Amino acid sequence: METSTQTHGQTNVGSVERWLSVVAGSALAAYGIRRRSIAGFVVAGIGGALVHRGATGRCMVYESLGITTADEQDDSRISVPYGKGIRVEKSMTIDASAADLYTFWRDFENLPRFMKNLESVKVTGGNRSHWIAKGPLGSNAEWDAEIINEIPNELIGWRSLEGSDINNAGSVHFTPATGGRGTVVKVVLRYDPPGGVAGAAISRLLGEDPEYQVQEDLRRFKRIIETGELATIDGQSTGRN
Amino acid sequence: MRAVCWWGKGEVRVVDTPDPGILNPRDAIVRVTLTAICGSDLHLYNGFVPTMMRGDILGHEFMGEVVEVGSDVKKLKVGDRVVVPFAIACGACFFCRKGMTSLCDNSNPNAWMLDALNGYASSAAFGYSHMYGGYSGGQSEYVRVPYADVNPFKIPNGLPDEKVLFLTDIFPTGYMAAENCGIEPGDTVAVWGAGPVGFFSAASARLLGAERVIVIDRIPERLRLVQEQCKAETINYEDVDDAFETLKEMTGGRGPDRCIDAVGMEGHGHTIDARLDKVKQLMKLQFDRAHSLRQALHACRKGGTVSIPGVYAGFIDKIPMGVAFAKGLTLKMGQTHVHKYVRPLLERIERGEIDPSVVITHRATLEDAPDLYQTFRDKEDDCIKCVMQP
Ligand SMILES: NC(=O)c1ccc[n+]([C@@H]2O[C@H](COP(=O)([O-])OP(=O)(O)OC[C@H]3O[C@@H](n4cnc5c(N)ncnc54)[C@H](O)[C@@H]3O)[C@@H](O)[C@H]2O)c1
Ligand SMILES: [Zn+2]
Ligand SMILES: [Zn+2]
């Protein structure tokens, strides 16, 4: 991908850096942009900022993952059984009723429509389903999951079963927002830090930055529900094609 | 097709590209009949906006005829004549439903970039960098328009393109700037910048009942236009020692009731703070030159309103917050929610209350874009607003 910075020397590198420094206080820009390979043009332009994130990104990430050995969920309905590991929690407000959102999500076969790194989910009967996540270089990670908690229109909790490539558990909560302003959808995910082939797959599944992945999955969910499609520029006409 | 592309700082090229196609079921394709260059395009041209890529198609002020619609488009038809707001709205999110379309949650495929920068992402815009979505713009023969039942507005035949084109941005921008002032009868409104946005701010302040309008710039032909068209008084800030003192005198020692900064982050100035800003900007310590904003905050009447349509980004040094606080000012700002204004302003044009085409000084074709960008940037050849026919 050709970039302004490659073709125009320092000027744009400078401006990207300036913009990054604008938000460097929160380290969020360096953090966010670093995770996003689709932004080759930004990454290529960051130059010094990449060094900067090297210095500061690590611990930010570590913190944001909320790595913990304690299970702070004392609500027994919530399925986060693998107390050790990585925990991610993200919320998004979506303009739809809790019932509609719950119904869409409860049909697990819908999940790959907005969870970018899921290849497929097949309901195998009862509360069970089989999940396939896309791994690097065509490899896949697979697991069977079961629903362990469910309150219609409020929450769904699931966890993986014995023999999974990745031990994981998750829950999604649907809570009406104030003033009839849609529904707050909160996802809590927890998984064992993986190793080996499965490790590679999971780091792709949840990315280097699980918070970011969950956030973007939720954003896609919101867009499908609110607009019926996903905003895209992939395949548009430009002066590069 | 032919399209005007960003090629790097200070360089645009007209190149052959494939024709755009429908990518999403709610898309439409518009054959562009008229398009304009905006002061906001100059921020891209001058390299102030990151995440531009060589080959990006520019242009967010355009209109034309619908030539194709996607399978989920319900109201828009092939053959409709439309203007298309610069901000891309989904029409369905919390912000769109409140009329705040330039803050749409859903239209920006790269929302994560603005999340990282600003905490929350605003809408996408046509031809305005990848952090604003990366959508190809309308300085081209054809353009893809998403959410086609929300974004394009049908325009009746009969009104020429030149009279309605500016409904896409600068007329609503000036109008929202004036509306944000909360003008009361008897008010004096001061406008910094007599560019197209300043012009429509001044004209709209009149439409909304301002008794006096004072416009500040240094370019004589621009000041002349607002004198003639908006019955504005003017200050050429290069001819006065201190625009603040001049304004204070002109307003009987009280100050303008409402102030509009229609200059933005590439403002020019010759006082100490402006020179410091320029040096810092060159040294990359600071992103904006904010002379006009400081002056507006300083000059505004106690209890008045400062409305900011001029674009700012990043951090700005030495904003006199104490002055704003001490005087109890109200500040309003932001990208224009164009969709909200298209129909009411179209009606004003139909009723003959305003003819937006009076700002046009240059009429050309897309092929002339490289020269026009330069002419418009350097304010040469009495240039105020350029329009191009593909
Ligand atoms: N809010 C929005 O949605 C929106 C929409 C369109 C444009 N804009 C912004 O509005 C601004 C103006 O746009 P435009 O098309 O009129 O641009 P322009 O460059 O043609 O006009 C700017 C004018 O400001 C004058 N100026 C510069 N420094 C000044 C100073 N210190 N005091 C007084 N005048 C000064 C210049 O001489 C020029 O006439 C830009 O920042 C543009 O990005 C915002
Ligand atoms: Zn514009
Ligand atoms: Zn929206």
Side-chain angles (χ1 to χ4, degrees), chain A residues 121-198:
Chain A
V121 182
K122 282 267 165 303
V123 176
T124 47
N127 279 339
R128 300 212 163 181
S129 48
H130 184 71
W131 300 51
I132 303 178
K134 291 173 212 163
L137 305 171
S139 69
N140 282 334
E142 304 193 20
W143 63 91
D144 287 310
E146 68 171 356
I147 294 175
I148 52 167
N149 274 313
E150 189 170 16
I151 302 177
N153 305 337
E154 264 180 53
L155 82 86
I156 309 165
W158 64 93
R159 70 173 164 207
S160 59
L161 299 171
E162 286 285 317
S164 301
D165 286 346
I166 306 158
N167 289 332
N168 65 92
S171 58
V172 56
H173 309 243
F174 306 93
T175 315
T178 55
R181 295 174 181 180
T183 301
V184 177
V185 180
K186 181 172 87 174
V187 169
V188 181
L189 272 187
R190 188 168 291 203
Y191 63 95
D192 277 348
V197 175

Side-chain angles (χ1 to χ4, degrees), chain B residues 291-313:
Chain B
H291 184 60
S292 53
L293 178 57
R294 292 192 192 99
Q295 206 166 56
L297 291 167
H298 204 219
C300 191
R301 186 203 82 188
K302 289 182 286 181
T305 308
V306 175
S307 163
I308 311 166
V311 168
Y312 288 93

Side-chain angles (χ1 to χ4, degrees), chain B residues 238 241 267-283 285-286 288-292 294 317-318:
Chain B
E238 291 198 321
D241 284 341
H268 155 273
H270 55 188
T271 55
I272 301 260
D273 73 303
R275 274 203 300 273
L276 252 175
D277 278 354
K278 171 93 178 151
V279 169
K280 283 198 232 161
Q281 203 168 46
L282 287 172
M283 293 177 68
L285 295 172
Q286 176 176 305
D288 308 285
R289 304 204 295 262
H291 184 60
S292 53
R294 292 192 192 99
D317 277 359
K318 286 190 278 313

Side-chain angles (χ1 to χ4, degrees), chain A residues 34-90:
Chain A
R34 147 179 197 225
R35 309 289 140 193
R36 295 300 293 144
S37 54
I38 60 153
F41 60 92
V42 177
V43 174
I46 286 173
L50 280 172
V51 178
H52 166 79
R53 61 88 173 155
T56 62
R58 259 318 134 195
C59 58
M60 269 303 292
V61 174
Y62 195 77
E63 269 167 35
S64 70
L65 296 181
I67 290 176
T68 171
T69 53
D71 188 346
E72 60 275 59
Q73 299 287 344
D74 47 11
D75 184 341
S76 62
R77 293 171 309 176
I78 296 166
S79 52
V80 278
Y82 300 97
K84 293 196 182 77
I86 292 173
R87 182 176 183 279
V88 184
E89 180 180 322
K90 276 279 164 199

Side-chain angles (χ1 to χ4, degrees), chain B residues 54 71 118 187 202 229 264 266 275 278 284 300 313:
Chain B
R54 166 180 283 193
S71 55
N118 298 333
D187 274 356
Q229 297 290 332
E266 292 191 62
R275 274 203 300 273
K278 171 93 178 151
K284 299 172 177 151
C300 191

